[in-house]
Amino acid sequence: MNLTNYHSHTTFCDGRAPMEDFIKEAIRQGFTSYGISSHAPLPFPTRWTMEKENVSSYLDEFFKLKKIYKDKIELYIGLEIDYLDENSNPAAEYFQNLPLDYRIGSVHLLKDEKGEIVDIDCSKEVFKERLEKHFHNDLKTTVLAYYNQLMTMVGLGGFDIVGHADKIAYNASFCQVDVTAQEWYKQTVRELFAYIAEKGYMMEINTKAFHQLGVFYPSVTNFSLIREMNIPVLVNSDSHFPELVNDGRTEALQALKSAGINVVMELTGGVWQKALIL
């Protein structure tokens, strides 16, 4: 089994344990390589992102642990960086100048018509409330705004991996059960995936919600698009608890193979390489 994970959050952001605990658990489970990717700072404080003044400590802690565990596991350091606007995104000079091994580009936030920033990466019930409060209960416009943010992020670049590409799908489907089956939605996803393929980025299969909600991000229904467009993929658990570093991996690898995708990307010796799904 391919034992890697490059998406995990520690107490430097909203993770629930220190960095070393995740590394120890990855070693215990026999991982070949492991990456830490805390939520990058935003221009304003949040409960879930790292503060800018803590980035140096984050890097120092990682490089200390990398030295300690160098004979047991390959360790890599990244950040999950939000696309917010033209000034705050993975391509920003600040993030590009950090000594990172990789960057995950994600969208968690949208702006409403008043310019208020709204967190849409929330429970389905809260999403429904925010849809009504901030977006006039206009689901289609809100979903299109989410994908437009992703398209803009892909165009700007500055990252290696697209994080949980269709994560809005679950919450949107709670508000309108057939939304992802509608032609406009499917075409929007196709355009995004085609753009990711054109730009040559990797896409994670995010397993964080699999055992709780029964879904991957992107959805298994989109795996055929990934295969068709030959988008490189890797399986990440987006773990916030050490015991979940491998959560959902087996099922995701099986689903990829069932869709005709037989390789995943792994960092080996500091280089992204294809690895056969075993």
Side-chain angles (χ1 to χ4, degrees):
M1 192 167 113
N2 304 76
L3 283 172
T4 64
N5 180 33
Y6 305 103
H7 192 160
S8 58
H9 300 282
T10 74
T11 45
F12 277 98
C13 57
D14 61 345
R16 303 305 178 88
M19 194 182 292
E20 188 169 17
D21 288 7
F22 287 84
I23 293 168
K24 285 181 176 179
E25 181 62 20
I27 293 169
R28 189 190 72 79
Q29 293 198 32
F31 274 60
T32 55
S33 62
Y34 193 81
I36 305 293
S37 58
S38 281
H39 288 290
L42 285 162
F44 44 83
T46 76
R47 59 172 180 76
W48 51 276
T49 55
M50 195 186 327
E51 296 299 324
K52 198 169 186 178
E53 57 264 30
N54 292 330
V55 172
S56 292
S57 297
Y58 172 72
L59 295 171
D60 290 344
E61 177 73 3
F62 171 79
F63 288 115
K64 180 189 77 174
L65 294 170
K66 182 176 182 179
K67 187 177 295 185
I68 292 171
Y69 294 103
K70 65 180 180 179
D71 296 327
K72 295 184 177 180
I73 192 171
E74 287 191 31
L75 294 175
Y76 297 98
I77 188 68
L79 282 173
E80 183 178 13
I81 308 169
D82 264 68
Y83 176 86
L84 178 63
D85 53 34
E86 62 276 9
N87 298 312
S88 183
N89 60 71
E93 184 178 4
Y94 171 76
F95 296 124
Q96 292 301 302
N97 288 335
L98 293 175
L100 302 173
D101 295 308
Y102 63 94
R103 295 160 182 83
I104 300 172
S106 298
V107 172
H108 299 90
L109 308 168
L110 292 178
K111 292 181 180 178
D112 66 13
E113 63 182 11
K114 297 178 181 177
E116 183 176 344
I117 295 167
V118 183
D119 186 350
I120 58 163
D121 186 26
C122 51
S123 71
K124 60 187 181 182
E125 293 83 7
V126 172
F127 177 84
K128 192 174 191 306
E129 292 172 4
R130 291 176 181 173
L131 182 69
E132 294 171 356
K133 179 179 178 180
H134 294 277
F135 303 106
H136 306 291
N137 210 28
D138 187 340
L139 182 63
K140 181 176 180 179
T141 298
T142 305
V143 169
L144 288 174
Y146 170 82
Y147 282 111
N148 183 64
Q149 292 280 83
L150 282 169
M151 289 286 283
T152 305
M153 181 186 79
V154 170
L156 283 175
F159 61 93
D160 306 278
I161 304 162
V162 180
H164 44 63
D166 67 355
K167 197 170 186 185
I168 200 171
Y170 182 82
N171 283 343
S173 296
F174 174 70
C175 299
Q176 187 176 330
V177 68
D178 67 339
V179 65
T180 61
Q182 295 182 19
E183 194 55 42
W184 67 265
Y185 182 91
K186 293 190 290 185
Q187 182 59 30
T188 300
V189 171
R190 171 173 282 276
E191 289 171 3
L192 172 64
F193 282 29
Y195 201 25
I196 291 168
E198 176 189 331
K199 294 293 186 178
Y201 297 122
M202 294 177 283
M203 183 184 292
E204 71 171 9
I205 307 302
N206 187 301
T207 66
K208 178 184 176 182
F210 181 72
H211 284 125
Q212 181 182 6
L213 304 177
V215 295
F216 300 121
Y217 304 116
S219 165
V220 69
T221 59
N222 290 320
F223 284 11
S224 59
L225 270 182
I226 293 172
R227 184 192 68 243
E228 174 190 333
M229 297 179 180
N230 201 28
I231 299 171
V233 297
L234 59 160
V235 177
N236 284 334
S237 71
D238 196 353
S239 53
H240 290 62
F241 297 85
E243 60 269 26
L244 300 180
V245 295
N246 201 33
D247 200 47
R249 173 171 298 278
T250 301
E251 294 88 346
L253 292 172
Q254 290 173 347
L256 286 168
K257 287 192 76 172
S258 296
I261 299 168
N262 297 310
V263 296
V264 289
M265 303 304 293
E266 296 181 356
L267 265 174
T268 304
V271 178
W272 288 106
Q273 301 185 41
K274 293 180 179 180
L276 189 68
I277 297 176
L278 302 177

